[in-house]
Amino acid sequence: MDFPADLIRLLSNAQSMAVLTGAGVSQESGLRTFRDSQTGLWAQYKPQDLASPEAFAREPKLVWDWYAWRREAIKGVRPNAGHYALVELEKRNSAFTLITQNVDGLHQMAGSRQILELHGNIQRVRCSNCGCLAESWDEQSQEVPRCVDCGGLLRPDVVWFGEPLPRSQLEQAVQAARSCGVFFSIGTSGVVHPAAALPYSAHNQGAVIVEINAECTQLTGKADYFLQGKSGEILPELVKKLADTASR
Ligand code: BV8
Ligand code: ZN
């Protein structure tokens, strides 16, 4: 892929970078995005209908089983070249913040260090009553497992629709958007708030906006650069171009 020369120059001299990733970054690892239709048993449900405190209150076992199925699906999944390219980008930029909406843990697995998980992590499970993280639980249990401390129902440690994002992670993400020189929005449809507002905060303070997505989104018209295609292909090529430029 050819990159605009001014983009390469700009990225080579960037003082600080922030990156927002969405489900599209994990798509080439074989994980369905939120917009992809669900499969099998779950085809009849929309994620928004299951990922909510109301759904869990109404049908805790159904919601628990959906997350147990997703944890199982993630077991065989590995980071793709896009995740690893972001690890390289972090190594090349001292002021680098990775903000992810993904709950799959693939950025950690790839080796990214400074990660802000805005929507939690599906590999963690916490008590819906006392909030403490569960060390272990019986994945084969026929009932929703309960907290060993207080007996409350266990739930995935993710942010459901209608729930507030973790304050510290959100504050750090807002801070990064407001102070970065370059803001990447990668593999996200930009529909879910407040994460979707971050690129606009960056744009409003004068950051250069680079969007990488397989298709146009609501942000595309505002982006300074729109690199259309698969992040697992574009990111490694971009990082290689930056490395080649630096070595000249
Ligand atoms: C909150 C964890 C308040 C759970 C998730 C009306 C207007 C604005 C906002 C709202 C509104 N009504 C309600 C709201 C608020 C709501 C919201 O934004 N709703 C949306 C649907 C309108 N937000 C909330 O409820 C948030 N909380 O606002 O709380 C509050 C405050 C104080 C006190 C009390 C309450 C909580 C939102 C978090 C929800 N949890 N995940 C779980 O995973 O089970 S969100 C979940 O969906 C994901 O984490 C992800 O963030 C989101 C899906 O978005 P994407 O990642 O963008 O994925 P998507 O599939 O949409 O797009 C993929 C993209 O990749 C596409 O563009 C595609 O083209 C591209 N792509 C595909 N393949 C590739 C690719 N690109 C590159 N390469 C490829 N290979
Ligand atoms: Zn408890």
Side-chain angles (χ1 to χ4, degrees):
M1 175 175 204
D2 275 339
F3 299 103
D6 49 359
L7 172 62
I8 297 302
R9 202 170 22 260
L10 177 108
L11 294 178
S12 304
N13 301 319
Q15 295 307 308
S16 61
M17 267 183 206
V19 176
L20 174 67
T21 62
V25 165
S26 298
Q27 188 265 334
E28 290 155 271
S29 293
L31 279 184
R32 294 180 177 292
T33 68
F34 251 69
R35 294 147 56 95
D36 290 342
S37 58
Q38 296 226 86
T39 59
L41 171 66
W42 304 104
Q44 58 192 300
Y45 300 99
K46 282 209 316 253
Q48 278 90 330
D49 298 340
L50 293 170
S52 76
E54 294 77 18
F56 186 68
R58 202 175 43 249
E59 300 188 81
K61 184 75 172 63
L62 178 75
V63 173
W64 174 267
D65 286 349
W66 180 48
Y67 283 91
W69 176 75
R70 287 171 64 188
R71 278 194 295 275
E72 188 57 34
I74 282 181
K75 270 204 185 111
V77 168
R78 291 289 170 270
N80 62 62
H83 292 102
Y84 291 113
L86 288 172
V87 176
E88 281 312 302
L89 206 54
E90 180 176 30
K91 285 178 183 158
R92 305 176 57 81
N93 292 276
S94 50
F96 181 96
T97 305
L98 177 59
I99 306 161
T100 189
Q101 302 173 86
N102 298 337
V103 297
D104 54 34
L106 291 179
H107 286 304
Q108 286 86 335
M109 203 185 282
S112 289
R113 310 265 304 230
Q114 169 70 347
I115 306 175
L116 297 174
E117 288 185 316
L118 293 187
H119 295 159
N121 188 314
I122 198 170
Q123 309 287 11
R124 291 194 303 265
V125 164
R126 71 170 194 254
C127 173
S128 59
N129 181 45
C130 71
C132 70
L133 282 181
E135 306 268 311
S136 65
W137 59 90
D138 174 7
E139 280 286 29
Q140 311 312 322
S141 156
Q142 288 313 305
E143 298 302 316
V144 177
R146 290 188 173 270
C147 168
V148 291
D149 295 342
C150 77
L153 289 176
L154 295 185
R155 58 163 284 178
D157 189 29
V158 298
V159 180
W160 280 331
F161 288 98
E163 293 187 321
L165 275 58
R167 177 189 297 278
S168 158
Q169 311 269 16
L170 180 57
E171 280 171 358
Q172 292 175 70
V174 169
Q175 181 50 36
R178 287 185 179 157
S179 57
C180 66
V182 181
F183 189 99
F184 282 87
S185 177
I186 308 175
T188 178
S189 59
V191 166
V192 174
H193 286 262
L198 292 169
Y200 298 91
S201 305
H203 171 79
N204 292 342
Q205 53 84 356
V208 172
I209 307 300
V210 184
E211 181 178 37
I212 299 175
N213 200 304
E215 56 193 41
C216 294
T217 70
Q218 294 161 5
L219 178 68
T220 308
K222 266 258 189 308
D224 298 281
Y225 297 93
F226 175 54
L227 307 176
Q228 180 156 14
K230 294 189 162 193
S231 50
E233 293 167 9
I234 293 173
L235 280 168
E237 286 185 37
L238 181 60
V239 170
K240 181 174 178 319
K241 181 73 179 168
L242 291 172
D244 293 350
T245 307
S247 61
R248 268 192 220 134

